[in-house]
Amino acid sequence: MIKVNDKLVTQAHFPDNSLKIECEATQTIDLSWMGIPSIKKITWNYENDAELFTIICIRKHFANENIILEMPYCPHARMDRVKNKDEFFTLKYFADVINSLNFSEVRIYDPHSNVCTALLNNVVVTYPGNEVNKALKDIESNNLIAFYPDEGAMKRGTDYLSGAYAFGIKKRDWQEGKILGLELMNKEVVKGKDVLIIDDICSRGGTFYHSAKALKEAGANNIYLYITHCENTILEGELLTSGLIKKVYTTNSIFTKEHEKIEVFEL
């Protein structure tokens, strides 16, 4: 979904399947009272790569104006490294295209790694402390610890929830991208505790299924999950039907479905 100044951009197609783009947004955001030139804002809640052409067209259409790109989820964030010679470094090439459009700011939310921020020009990053706090208020547990499924999540997450925590080491098939299991470290802090798993991205939920399973085996009570960017494919995995997770918290950055166990925070 794409908006310009909060007005929805419609993306239809001509009979030859070429794109027809329309949007009512013509007014700029008036910040002159702050001494800042008026600007337009494109908000892109990513659904697919085809939308990138629409972003390019909008930027070209307003070529002489300052424009902010608000992109809560950074596409291709997972492809922040190349491990095999036949793989493409798509995050870099995506960032190259965005940089070529000369946005005054590129606003992203809870990036998967610092590679995203290093590759994007004029990037402004927001981290999900507010959303984690919303989850904590909803859980209302006096017996809660955090769990981080890997080192990256641990580095980000310890800023949001203080106190004791546990962490894991994922066993992954890098060629296939599948999670084969998870080794729970410092499991002694888990027994008898409620646990909030904190991470940035979820697809089918394999990481969190194996995390919750290991936590339950270590004696955890209620297990909750906060993920900033939740793909709709979580509904296809076994996480939500396993009985291991009591509730999932996420944002509307890319999640567009509904489920009784999922609470969505608006960004």
Side-chain angles (χ1 to χ4, degrees), residues 102-163:
N102 297 313
F103 292 106
S104 57
E105 289 182 9
V106 178
R107 300 175 180 174
I108 60 177
Y109 196 83
D110 197 13
H112 184 56
S113 74
N114 57 13
V115 178
C116 296
T117 57
L119 290 174
L120 289 166
N121 295 339
N122 303 322
V123 67
V124 177
V125 179
T126 302
Y127 293 97
N130 288 337
E131 283 62 45
V132 173
N133 282 333
K134 289 178 183 177
L136 294 175
K137 288 180 182 178
D138 187 68
I139 294 169
E140 293 185 330
S141 172
N142 295 320
N143 194 32
L144 185 73
I145 66 167
F147 174 78
Y148 308 106
D150 55 34
E151 185 179 5
M154 183 170 61
K155 287 179 178 178
R156 294 185 302 269
T158 49
D159 292 335
Y160 315 138
L161 186 58
S162 60

Side-chain angles (χ1 to χ4, degrees), residues 5-50:
N5 288 3
D6 298 322
K7 297 289 187 180
L8 185 66
V9 175
T10 60
Q11 302 170 78
H13 291 87
F14 291 102
D16 65 354
N17 211 36
S18 58
L19 192 62
K20 181 181 181 183
I21 304 170
E22 295 180 341
C23 184
E24 295 180 358
T26 56
Q27 297 181 344
T28 57
I29 302 171
D30 184 11
L31 297 177
S32 58
W33 61 277
M34 297 175 61
I36 301 172
S38 294
I39 59 174
K40 281 187 170 62
K41 181 179 72 172
I42 300 172
T43 303
W44 182 15
N45 287 86
Y46 176 83
E47 293 183 33
N48 56 67
D49 281 344

Side-chain angles (χ1 to χ4, degrees), residues 57-74:
C57 291
I58 295 170
R59 183 67 183 105
K60 297 293 185 181
H61 184 75
F62 298 115
N64 297 321
E65 300 187 46
N66 291 325
I67 297 185
I68 290 171
L69 175 62
E70 188 172 74
M71 183 174 63
Y73 174 71
C74 181

Side-chain angles (χ1 to χ4, degrees), residues 112-234:
H112 184 56
S113 74
N114 57 13
V115 178
C116 296
T117 57
L119 290 174
L120 289 166
N121 295 339
N122 303 322
V123 67
V124 177
V125 179
T126 302
Y127 293 97
N130 288 337
E131 283 62 45
V132 173
N133 282 333
K134 289 178 183 177
L136 294 175
K137 288 180 182 178
D138 187 68
I139 294 169
E140 293 185 330
S141 172
N142 295 320
N143 194 32
L144 185 73
I145 66 167
F147 174 78
Y148 308 106
D150 55 34
E151 185 179 5
M154 183 170 61
K155 287 179 178 178
R156 294 185 302 269
T158 49
D159 292 335
Y160 315 138
L161 186 58
S162 60
Y165 63 87
F167 66 97
I169 298 177
K170 288 187 283 190
K171 301 174 184 177
R172 182 191 295 271
D173 181 337
W174 284 104
Q175 188 66 35
E176 297 293 331
K178 294 180 180 179
I179 303 300
L180 304 177
L182 182 138
E183 182 179 358
L184 178 60
M185 313 304 291
N186 63 331
K187 61 179 66 178
E188 66 278 0
V189 304
V190 171
K191 188 173 182 179
K193 301 289 186 180
D194 294 329
V195 180
L196 175 62
I197 304 172
I198 301 176
D199 208 349
D200 63 323
I201 299 178
C202 174
S203 182
R204 292 174 62 88
T207 293
F208 310 112
Y209 171 81
H210 288 293
S211 297
K213 187 176 179 181
L215 289 165
K216 282 293 187 182
E217 290 172 353
N221 289 332
N222 295 317
I223 300 176
Y224 306 86
L225 172 63
Y226 171 82
I227 35 175
T228 302
H229 309 293
C230 182
E231 299 177 20
N232 291 333
T233 48
I234 190 175

Side-chain angles (χ1 to χ4, degrees), residues 69-85:
L69 175 62
E70 188 172 74
M71 183 174 63
Y73 174 71
C74 181
H76 301 277
R78 282 194 181 92
M79 200 61 192
D80 59 0
R81 74 196 87 174
V82 175
K83 285 187 168 290
N84 303 297
K85 63 181 182 180

